Amino acid sequence: MFKKLFLKMIRFYQIVISPLKPPSCRFYPTCSQYGLEAVSKFGAMKGGWLTLKRIVKCHPFHPGGFDYVPEEWPKKKKFNSSNNRQ
């Protein structure tokens, strides 16, 4: 249910709002296309989280570049306290 809502909101942005703005995206694919792919692949919550993280990176101090949706959900990095002992 939320997945379809998120996808419709992103498509609305792409069709109605995005054409009114000058092209200024520093990433490939664009943030809205990234959002469509992420939500389609991982659902509303996880895909939405990936999209939000991507949008936060979109600022003048980030170099941009290629940033594709991951093939699988990123695994948490485990902190091993035994590595810090000497």
Side-chain angles (χ1 to χ4, degrees), residues 28-86:
Y28 180 83
T30 63
C31 290
S32 59
Q33 185 61 37
Y34 183 95
L36 277 177
E37 293 175 22
V39 172
S40 294
K41 185 179 272 189
F42 294 110
M45 296 305 286
K46 289 182 177 181
W49 175 248
L50 288 173
T51 304
L52 183 63
K53 285 178 24 178
R54 166 71 176 272
I55 291 170
V56 168
K57 290 193 292 187
C58 190
H59 55 78
F61 304 110
H62 195 283
F66 295 98
D67 184 19
Y68 298 104
V69 176
E71 291 296 320
E72 58 185 38
W73 183 251
K75 297 193 182 340
K76 287 185 178 180
K77 293 180 182 178
K78 292 184 180 178
F79 180 74
N80 190 349
S81 61
S82 63
N83 290 342
N84 294 335
R85 295 181 186 159
Q86 293 182 358

